[in-house]
Amino acid sequence: MAIQLDHVRYAYPEAPEDVVLNISEWSVSDGERVFVHGPSGSGKSTLLNLLSGMLVCREGCVSILGERLDKMSARQRDRFRANQIGYVFQQFNLMPYLNAIENIELAHIFSHRERKRGGVKRAQELLAALNIVPSDWYKPSSRLSIGQQQRVAIARALVNKPALLIADEPTSSLDQENRDNFMSVLMSLATENAITLLFVSHDMSLSRDFGRTDALADVNRSR
Amino acid sequence: MFLRLAIKSLQNRKGSVMMTVVAIGVSIFVLLGIEHIRHQAKKSFASTVSGVDLIVGARTGSLNLLLYSVFRIGAPTNNISWESYQQIISDSNVAWAIPIALGDSHKGYRVMGTNANYFQHFSYGNQKSLKFSEGGGFEGVFGVVLGAEVARQLGYSLGDKLVLAHGVASTSFSLHDDLPFTVVGILEPTGTPVDQTLHVSLQGIEAIHVGWDRGVQLPGKGLTADNVKDQELTPDSITAIMLGLNSRMAIFTVQRRVNQFPEEPLLAILPGVALSELWQMMGLFEMTLRLISLIVLVSAVLGLGAMLLASIRERAQEIRLLRVVGAPPLFLFLLIETEAIVITVFGIVLGVAGLSLCMVLVQEVLSARMGLHLDVLTFTAESLILIGWVLAATFLVAAVPSMSAFNNAKSVVGKALP
């Protein structure tokens, strides 16, 4: 299983009575592509932060690729995330003052695969595959268009060859053309690299590309 | 990559970073500047006189005597009569004596009446004696030997004639213009007040004051260049005497004899002891200066801390991004610390560069106006230790924003009530 949640209950330490996430059982198998939708406030960020190990729950078990995130040390979780999980946000996916290559390299240095070697070369391959022209590789990423930035973000997320890619509303700041472009490269790269894809969005029109669609309200029974 | 990230992130916030670098630079400038000048002033003062065992003057404070006889600062309180002078130098312990008569000036530079002993026995620094770069000591009554700075600043050369002024104000209206002096010698630079002094013979001083009473020239009573030679030009009094003794053992004997001199109240001081008294007096002043420079530094470093702390808020998204690509909280702590250190290092470079430039510019002025010789900025062990402390203080203060970043980055462990 790529993702396996069992009897997970989570409340933020400042408000322990307010259980924001209560999932009795939810899983995603290896290589599956799941589209998750839900209104804001449905516990979406909490779920994604739990899956990436940015939050840790003390009740229930969270296992990713067969490993128990809640049993790992903080250091192990950080390393696991660097190596195994790619993550694309809605915005601010790149350090604005670093260029595309540097942003991808930055993600690469925290992984232990290939020990920092070949980071630039892999970055260039990925950028080329994502249709970013070489003249844009060395511009500060704040000077790239939003569409380009989101595609560089895919490269940044995939540089360490993760097994799981989490995309958190990655298309909501894109126009129609850029969105289609983004979706097609994302899908082809996910297929190419046999990556499990968890895609969260409220744009239901995108769900046709996915084999499975879950409503977060059904998964999370906290309210 | 780590350092590149820190530097590019700082470049991205040029405005506030530059202001902070300048603030640190200014405080480093003040801190090291005060440290440097303190050292140099001490060195310069201490090297002004050497080889003189005792300085004798009218009874006054020992500091006052030291200041007016050696540094030409302030005014003598009273004079020593010529008879007393003769009596003191006849002491069998006295090897040599330099009489000093002060009170006149030339274009703001002080004139000192003395005799040939001065050029023979006076020494400065590490027992260096005075050397002539041109000419030699005065033979006749109206010869003048110029200090290096006087000659340079006023553009005099051998054979030039100049007129002394009564009193020590830089603009004097009572000139001894009836009896001009001729430049017969120019001394090599010494880096001491000697450079700012015009030396004439005691006879010359006496000659130009014949016919003067209470600071005013009485008409018709002065000498002319022609009748000078007929006169007996023995001065009535002098300002101070520098003594060299046959044996250092005799210093206290001679000192006591002078201090208990029956004919008039006199004071003999050891230059080294008087100098250390001067340091003691300056000690409080020094401490105050150091304290102020320290406070300036502390406020600059705190400013740096505040700037970084404010930046942590703005950078919440950057921190989240770094976390999601796998940066551990320690990475963020060290990143902010590195940014702080980089800012301080640039501040130090700026401060040191500014100070070096200032030293070069100020050297000239200080040397000309005060006889204070400053070396170019050098790194003493002490100033390196200071820089070390600055970096340590930076690290300590930057720990606050760094911890803030660290805490922002830590995974939040959830607590759900049953």
Side-chain angles (χ1 to χ4, degrees):
Chain A
M1 283 291 161
I3 300 173
Q4 174 86 51
L5 298 184
D6 258 320
H7 298 94
V8 169
R9 266 160 47 89
Y10 189 90
Y12 288 92
E14 349 21 307
E17 302 85 17
D18 184 16
V19 177
V20 284
L21 211 64
N22 184 358
I23 299 174
S24 55
E25 220 239 309
W26 187 68
S27 60
V28 175
S29 31
D30 289 339
E32 203 174 1
R33 292 178 193 173
V34 182
F35 183 91
V36 175
H37 63 93
S40 49
S42 56
K44 188 195 70 183
S45 317
T46 309
L47 174 66
L48 296 185
N49 283 335
L50 272 176
L51 294 179
S52 60
M54 306 271 277
L55 295 178
V56 184
C57 74
R58 278 283 163 262
E59 269 194 80
C61 49
V62 177
S63 52
I64 306 291
L65 309 164
E67 308 234 18
R68 284 284 294 272
L69 276 188
D70 50 319
K71 294 273 193 262
M72 288 181 188
S73 71
R75 190 80 196 85
Q76 285 170 325
R77 265 197 307 276
D78 291 338
R79 177 129 327 139
F80 182 80
R81 175 168 60 250
N83 286 327
Q84 301 291 1
I85 304 173
Y87 206 111
V88 181
F89 295 109
Q90 176 181 344
Q91 56 183 14
F92 210 94
N93 274 300
L94 305 172
M95 300 299 253
Y97 44 84
L98 297 184
N99 63 40
I101 299 276
E102 286 168 332
N103 263 292
I104 298 168
E105 264 187 284
L106 179 64
H108 192 56
I109 61 168
F110 296 107
S111 98
H112 266 218
R113 282 189 195 154
E114 304 166 48
R115 294 293 294 180
K116 273 133 232 175
R117 299 237 169 259
V120 177
K121 193 164 170 291
R122 174 135 173 83
Q124 290 172 345
E125 285 166 14
L126 279 164
L127 288 174
L130 287 158
N131 301 326
I132 309 283
V133 293
S135 61
D136 288 337
W137 293 358
Y138 294 97
K139 279 184 191 167
S141 51
S142 56
R143 283 176 41 207
L144 299 176
S145 74
I146 305 288
Q148 284 174 318
Q149 287 186 27
Q150 291 303 86
R151 275 181 286 143
V152 175
I154 298 177
R156 197 262 295 137
L158 295 184
V159 66
N160 295 329
K161 302 189 170 152
L164 172 64
L165 179 64
I166 299 174
D168 181 6
E169 308 217 22
T171 55
S172 45
S173 46
L174 300 181
D175 55 34
Q176 180 72 45
E177 191 190 329
N178 272 310
R179 189 176 58 202
D180 295 345
N181 192 336
F182 179 91
M183 288 312 288
S184 71
V185 288
L186 179 67
M187 287 305 172
S188 67
L189 278 171
T191 313
E192 233 170 80
N193 296 292
I195 296 173
T196 307
L197 179 59
L198 181 65
F199 193 99
V200 180
S201 177
H202 54 258
D203 185 355
M204 290 304 287
S205 67
L206 300 173
S207 66
R208 62 172 181 269
D209 291 331
F210 294 84
R212 173 178 152 194
T213 299
D214 281 2
L216 193 56
D218 299 336
V219 178
N220 180 13
R221 296 172 199 283
S222 66
R223 286 149 229 255
Chain B
M1 185 74 209
F2 182 72
L3 203 61
R4 184 147 42 122
L5 179 65
I7 287 171
K8 283 211 168 184
S9 143
L10 290 176
Q11 278 176 351
N12 189 42
R13 287 171 289 138
K14 267 189 218 100
S16 57
V17 168
M18 278 314 291
M19 294 291 269
T20 315
V21 167
V22 170
I24 301 273
V26 167
S27 67
I28 292 288
F29 179 94
V30 172
L31 191 73
L32 291 186
I34 285 176
E35 208 52 25
H36 184 66
I37 288 174
R38 204 170 63 89
H39 263 114
Q40 292 287 310
K42 243 182 203 180
K43 213 176 101 188
S44 184
F45 271 84
S47 66
T48 299
V49 57
S50 80
V52 173
D53 293 315
L54 285 172
I55 299 171
V56 178
R59 190 162 297 165
T60 174
S62 55
L63 271 181
N64 192 29
L65 176 54
L66 179 79
L67 289 177
Y68 72 67
S69 62
V70 175
F71 296 103
R72 326 262 190 268
I73 296 170
T77 45
N78 208 344
N79 281 353
I80 307 172
S81 73
W82 188 251
E83 289 72 34
S84 304
Y85 166 67
Q86 291 294 344
Q87 216 171 318
I88 287 164
I89 65 171
S90 65
D91 192 305
S92 61
N93 286 310
V94 172
W96 49 263
I98 302 168
I100 295 171
L102 299 164
D104 283 345
S105 66
H106 176 73
K107 298 191 176 167
Y109 293 100
R110 298 221 180 174
V111 173
M112 188 176 99
T114 184
N115 63 17
N117 280 356
Y118 182 73
F119 303 108
Q120 199 185 334
H121 294 295
F122 184 82
S123 54
Y124 64 97
N126 197 8
Q127 302 287 347
K128 281 187 273 188
S129 48
L130 298 175
K131 286 195 186 65
F132 288 94
S133 60
E134 290 175 70
F138 26 77
E139 307 266 299
V141 173
F142 294 109
V144 57
V145 173
L146 304 180
E149 199 59 36
V150 178
R152 204 176 66 83
Q153 288 286 333
L154 302 180
Y156 288 131
S157 50
L158 290 185
D160 285 354
K161 288 199 183 308
L162 52 92
V163 167
L164 305 188
H166 196 74
V168 293
S170 56
T171 314
S172 179
F173 294 105
S174 29
L175 300 173
H176 298 293
D177 47 5
D178 42 356
L179 295 168
F181 283 74
T182 308
V183 178
V184 297
I186 295 170
L187 294 170
E188 283 189 353
T190 62
T192 73
V194 171
D195 296 354
Q196 270 85 45
T197 308
L198 296 89
H199 310 84
V200 299
S201 65
L202 285 176
Q203 289 77 18
I205 292 275
E206 187 58 25
I208 56 176
H209 287 99
V210 169
W212 284 60
D213 192 17
R214 294 181 186 85
V216 182
Q217 187 176 22
L218 303 175
K221 290 210 173 176
L223 291 179
T224 62
D226 300 327
N227 59 14
V228 158
K229 293 183 181 68
D230 313 333
Q231 288 270 335
E232 178 74 26
L233 289 172
T234 306
D236 293 338
S237 62
I238 54 172
T239 313
I241 319 164
M242 292 179 179
L243 293 180
L245 304 182
N246 288 320
S247 149
R248 297 213 127 202
M249 311 290 283
I251 288 177
F252 293 106
T253 315
V254 176
Q255 187 185 28
R256 193 164 55 247
R257 242 173 245 166
V258 170
N259 287 343
Q260 294 171 352
F261 203 72
E263 275 75 27
E264 58 181 316
L266 295 180
L267 173 73
I269 58 163
L270 284 77
V273 174
L275 269 173
S276 66
E277 263 178 58
L278 184 63
W279 298 144
Q280 271 172 19
M281 209 181 68
M282 302 270 273
L284 190 70
F285 179 63
E286 272 179 22
M287 281 305 289
T288 314
L289 278 182
R290 294 179 91 175
L291 195 68
I292 290 172
S293 61
L294 213 64
I295 291 170
V296 170
L297 178 78
V298 166
S299 68
V301 174
L302 286 176
L304 166 76
M307 188 276 283
L308 286 174
L309 192 58
S311 81
I312 300 300
R313 296 256 164 82
E314 299 159 21
R315 298 166 77 191
Q317 284 182 308
E318 276 182 40
I319 291 174
R320 189 180 62 147
L321 176 60
L322 282 168
R323 286 291 289 144
V324 103
V325 298
L330 185 65
F331 179 90
L332 289 150
F333 180 90
L334 292 176
L335 180 67
I336 307 297
E337 284 285 9
T338 306
E339 290 188 6
I341 298 289
V342 167
I343 287 177
T344 301
V345 166
F346 275 106
I348 290 170
V349 169
L350 185 74
V352 168
L355 189 58
S356 306
L357 191 71
C358 250
M359 282 297 149
V360 173
L361 296 178
V362 155
Q363 218 171 14
E364 190 89 328
V365 180
L366 275 184
S367 168
R369 297 258 170 89
M370 300 172 69
L372 206 64
H373 184 73
L374 291 183
D375 291 337
V376 284
L377 191 63
T378 44
F379 284 101
T380 57
E382 228 168 293
S383 56
L384 287 177
I385 289 171
L386 270 177
I387 287 178
W389 276 112
V390 172
L391 290 172
T394 303
F395 189 86
L396 209 67
V397 169
V400 175
S402 304
M403 271 319 283
S404 163
F406 182 87
N407 286 330
N408 273 8
K410 268 200 313 198
S411 324
V412 179
V413 178
K415 276 189 191 131
L417 288 185

